[in-house]
Amino acid sequence: SAFLDYELANGLNFRTQYSGYTQNRRTGEYAGQYTKTNQGSKAARAQTDNYKTSNYTIDNTLTYNGVFGDHAINATALLSVFEQYDEYMEIVVQDLPYRSLWHNLGTGATPIGYNTDLVESGILSYMGRVNYTFMDKYLFTFTGRYDGASKL
């Protein structure tokens, strides 16, 4: 996570923040013919799974604070972007001709199953708020928000 905070003018501030995450995971399983799983009656079987996920968030915030005699204004505007990426792949084969573990599944004579998946999603959000204060006694607040999502 990283951010940049910058004062554009007296009372006007801009902040941008980035945070991200990534994970790559690979697993493999091998069961030879004489393992407890196959008990000598089935040929070698192997599988591999690959999973990758990553996401990031970018928040841009603009704030203003001003006092004009008996009047005070505090305003905030926000633009936020979130993106998510998930990828998955699984392959399972049987009848491997030699002990290749899960590294050469193309040599398996009998494909048992395979699965692939890709999911991409995102959210875009806008927000605004204005607080108006009169004589430090009366407060009026105006707010609004809009969110757009690629899936619900």
Side-chain angles (χ1 to χ4, degrees):
S1 182
F3 71 91
L4 175 67
D5 207 342
Y6 186 72
E7 187 174 357
L8 300 172
N10 190 24
L12 184 62
N13 192 56
F14 175 75
R15 179 182 174 114
T16 186
Q17 181 172 338
Y18 170 86
S19 58
Y21 171 81
T22 187
Q23 176 188 17
N24 292 302
R25 184 183 73 222
R26 184 179 110 182
T27 60
E29 180 182 318
Y30 175 82
Q33 182 176 3
Y34 298 104
T35 60
K36 186 176 181 180
T37 301
N38 289 331
Q39 301 174 356
S41 63
K42 296 179 189 171
R45 177 182 185 275
Q47 79 177 56
T48 186
D49 301 314
N50 292 298
Y51 176 71
K52 177 183 178 183
T53 185
S54 61
N55 65 50
Y56 69 88
T57 303
I58 298 174
D59 291 325
N60 294 306
T61 309
L62 187 64
T63 57
Y64 175 74
N65 290 303
V67 177
F68 313 98
D70 288 339
H71 309 274
I73 294 177
N74 172 282
T76 302
L78 169 75
L79 168 66
S80 180
V81 177
F82 174 79
E83 297 276 332
Q84 175 81 27
Y85 177 91
D86 294 305
E87 181 181 339
Y88 177 75
M89 186 227 15
E90 173 190 50
I91 300 172
V92 183
V93 299
Q94 195 163 340
D95 299 325
L96 291 162
Y98 60 94
R99 188 178 182 273
S100 62
L101 300 177
W102 53 87
H103 300 291
N104 196 3
L105 298 181
T107 63
T110 309
I112 295 175
Y114 58 90
N115 185 21
T116 61
D117 194 21
L118 173 64
V119 177
E120 295 177 297
S121 60
I123 298 173
L124 178 63
S125 300
Y126 301 96
M127 186 278 299
R129 178 185 67 216
V130 176
N131 290 326
Y132 168 72
T133 306
F134 180 65
M135 297 175 53
D136 277 335
K137 188 174 181 180
Y138 302 102
L139 173 65
F140 299 96
T141 301
F142 306 95
T143 62
R145 181 174 179 124
Y146 173 79
D147 294 305
S150 62
K151 66 179 185 179
L152 296 174

